[in-house]
Amino acid sequence: MSNNHANTDRNLTTMQQRSLKAVWHPCTQMKQHETYPLVPIVRGKGVWLYDAEGKRYLDAISSWWVNLFGHANPVINNAIRDQLEKIEHVMLAGFTHEPVVSLSERLKKITPGSLGHCFYASDGASAIEIALKMSFHYWLLCGQPRKNRFVSLQNDYHGETLGALSVTDVAIFKETYAPLLRPCTHVPTPDWRYAEKGESAQDYALRAAAALENHLAKHHEETAALILEPLVQGATGMGMYHPVYLQRAREICDRYQVHLIADEIAVGFGRTGTLFACDQANITPDFMCLSKGLSGGYLPLSVVLTTDTVYQAFYDDTAARAFLHSHSHTGNALACRAALAALDIFEQDSVIATNQSKTAYLNTRAAALVEHPKIRNFRNCGMIWAFEVDTGDRDFAAQCFQAGLQQQLLLRPLGNTIYFMPPYIITNEEIDHLIDGTVRVLSTI
Ligand SMILES: *Cc1c(COP(=O)(O)O)cnc(C)c1O
């Protein structure tokens, strides 16, 4: 017995060491893990992650915003198991299959306006590359090759491959690689934290939209598309803005013949309180990018939906006018089945309506945070909450992460912004755990 136990102890350390030696972890200064050991996760259930010692952590950020319906969700597990016995993957050039067809039909039905024609990839950044290339290529096919520039919002994040990084405006990810990137204009963000004292979120959004109009009035002839994160700018710290900005952006893009690309990779599938963030502005973008929650967060899958107008410009007798872009795992059958199961859950459990009461409950419980002397800008949009913590500590995020683990919480602040983006299956009791734990984290650091 004691031998076994010693073994387990040694294995745990070994596991952390093996990971350090063999795995180059994302978004990480690896040397930090000499001080902060990696957390080896062995299983998950619902909102909970369990480590090798049996300690549990409430996944308050849905494992980087992907997990909608909890870990080891029985509906999604069963769907994947069933699909596994049929076909796990087949190339999507020249072939098709039921899961990809059904998913495309259902996405067409639930996305705004006439969006359809689903083009698949495996991750969010690739979906952005696809939307940018398609937009440019469309204008080229229309005899407007000069339209080859992109505009995005100040503080936007669209992923980290070179094209996606070009339209991203987050210095920490971008500065080093600047020589590799295409120039892109970032127009002022509508994020209400930038409003003047006394200026409403709506007035500020209108002022930001006027800046967009100024830019496009001068530069529309060389601009293919405006790309933006609708309603919530995630990676820079959950900046939130008024939907009137999206309405104005749509009008302005129409006026100047510029595509509107909605990057709903983080906000799609109910995060902002509606199925898609664009729904709150009642607009249809020319391209909509979806990923993260698309497969319930289970498997890597992304998709770009576009309009008939764009699709028809490529539809021709010659391959030269086709969109010759591909990824090996395009339309992976297992991932599409997981996505279909996630859509089933949305319908069967009336998720959007149920989330409203969870949002309301968390907001009443959050009074302790709103009134906390260290906290500023407490804000909420659907199933996203965020606030800034007054701290001069440059190591705040890492310390908060560690203090969170002590409180059975997975929190991963963005700088001094703590945010919650829990799986939708979170219960009121688990919300209590989240709020009480966060208050304790604030008092320990
Ligand atoms: C995460 C994210 C991406 C990139 O997706 P990956 O799958 O990480 O490449 C793009 N845009 C937004 C808004 C995101 O949140």
Side-chain angles (χ1 to χ4, degrees):
M1 275 309 278
S2 68
N3 236 351
N4 269 346
H5 191 234
N7 259 343
T8 319
D9 276 357
R10 198 150 13 94
N11 283 345
L12 184 60
T13 343
T14 313
M15 164 75 153
Q16 288 166 335
Q17 284 174 359
R18 278 169 54 213
S19 199
L20 270 184
K21 285 205 184 107
V23 184
W24 197 336
H25 290 264
C27 205
T28 298
Q29 170 49 261
M30 291 300 292
K31 193 162 192 290
Q32 268 210 348
H33 285 307
E34 289 179 10
T35 324
Y36 303 119
L38 289 155
V39 188
I41 294 300
V42 292
R43 68 188 180 90
K45 186 73 201 145
V47 297
W48 299 99
L49 293 165
Y50 295 85
D51 74 9
E53 292 177 324
K55 282 196 240 140
R56 60 174 199 168
Y57 311 99
L58 192 155
D59 190 351
I61 60 166
S62 296
S63 284
W64 262 352
W65 324 349
V66 299
N67 187 297
L68 300 188
F69 300 118
H71 299 278
N73 182 288
V75 176
I76 305 177
N77 282 12
N78 284 335
I80 294 175
R81 243 182 240 123
D82 180 66
Q83 187 58 40
L84 204 47
E85 297 301 331
K86 293 176 175 149
I87 175 75
E88 77 298 326
H89 180 72
V90 61
M91 63 190 286
L92 203 62
F95 294 86
T96 192
H97 51 79
E98 181 61 33
V100 80
V101 175
S102 295
L103 179 59
S104 307
E105 288 170 350
R106 280 174 81 174
L107 288 174
K108 181 180 164 69
K109 232 177 253 164
I110 60 177
T111 49
S114 57
L115 287 174
H117 308 290
C118 299
F119 197 102
Y120 291 88
S122 313
D123 55 64
S126 300
I128 299 297
E129 303 289 342
I130 289 163
L132 298 175
K133 282 176 73 177
M134 262 187 192
S135 170
F136 160 75
H137 197 160
Y138 170 86
W139 294 117
L140 186 67
L141 292 172
C142 295
Q144 300 199 57
R146 281 187 63 208
K147 282 169 113 46
N148 60 27
R149 304 267 312 234
F150 299 100
V151 178
S152 80
L153 304 185
Q154 170 195 7
N155 295 343
D156 252 9
Y157 177 90
H158 299 291
E160 293 169 57
T161 55
L162 295 179
L165 195 56
S166 294
V167 294
T168 286
D169 181 40
V170 184
I172 191 173
F173 300 131
K174 187 166 182 172
E175 260 169 17
T176 310
Y177 307 102
L180 306 182
L181 305 177
R182 281 184 57 81
C184 169
T185 304
H186 307 291
V187 291
T189 174
D191 176 351
W192 60 251
R193 289 175 300 168
Y194 288 72
E196 300 284 341
K197 243 196 157 79
E199 188 178 31
S200 72
Q202 178 165 3
D203 286 346
Y204 177 63
L206 288 169
R207 190 150 66 84
L212 168 67
E213 170 138 37
N214 275 340
H215 177 79
L216 287 186
K218 289 194 197 90
H219 297 287
H220 62 96
E221 284 175 359
E222 65 261 24
T223 304
L226 164 69
I227 179 166
L228 47 72
E229 296 182 77
L231 294 189
V232 182
Q233 296 183 287
T236 29
M238 304 297 161
M240 298 181 184
Y241 63 86
H242 196 283
V244 75
Y245 185 85
L246 296 175
Q247 282 157 1
R248 295 287 293 125
R250 178 69 275 179
E251 290 160 16
I252 294 163
C253 285
D254 283 344
R255 185 168 326 136
Y256 292 105
Q257 286 216 316
V258 167
H259 285 144
L260 177 60
I261 304 174
D263 176 355
E264 296 232 10
I265 290 168
V267 293
F269 298 104
R271 264 300 155 196
T272 66
T274 42
L275 196 51
F276 298 101
C278 285
D279 295 341
Q280 292 187 41
N282 222 345
I283 60 156
T284 305
D286 299 287
F287 300 89
M288 182 182 268
C289 304
L290 302 170
S291 186
K292 292 204 162 93
L294 170 60
S295 67
Y298 261 63
L299 290 161
L301 182 66
S302 64
V303 63
V304 179
L305 290 105
T306 190
T307 60
D308 250 349
T309 311
V310 170
Y311 182 76
Q312 290 304 335
F314 290 78
Y315 204 79
D316 194 74
D317 292 325
T318 67
R321 285 183 75 96
F323 188 60
L324 301 178
H325 180 106
S326 56
H327 295 284
S328 308
H329 282 99
T330 297
N332 176 265
L334 287 174
C336 289
R337 256 318 273 286
L340 286 166
L343 292 181
D344 287 343
I345 298 174
F346 268 107
E347 280 177 18
Q348 285 159 19
D349 299 352
S350 312
V351 170
I352 298 295
T354 314
N355 280 356
Q356 282 175 9
S357 60
K358 298 190 183 190
T359 299
Y361 182 73
L362 197 150
N363 281 335
T364 49
R365 284 294 278 105
L369 293 172
V370 180
E371 291 151 15
H372 197 287
K374 278 193 214 165
I375 281 175
R376 279 176 297 119
N377 298 333
F378 184 91
R379 54 198 179 277
N380 163 236
C381 181
M383 291 295 280
I384 309 175
W385 291 263
F387 52 87
E388 276 71 60
V389 179
D390 279 323
T391 171
D393 191 347
R394 291 180 63 202
D395 203 26
F396 172 78
Q399 283 181 25
C400 185
F401 174 78
Q402 292 301 319
L405 295 180
Q406 299 301 317
Q407 301 299 333
Q408 302 187 341
L409 281 182
L410 164 49
L411 295 173
R412 202 175 192 277
L414 298 157
N416 69 332
T417 303
I418 295 182
Y419 68 92
F420 308 140
M421 242 162 117
Y424 302 161
I425 43 96
I426 193 167
T427 63
N428 285 357
E429 262 180 359
E430 289 160 346
I431 289 173
D432 292 345
H433 176 94
L434 171 61
I435 300 295
D436 297 343
T438 304
V439 171
R440 281 196 293 271
V441 165
L442 288 170
S443 58
T444 58
I445 52 176

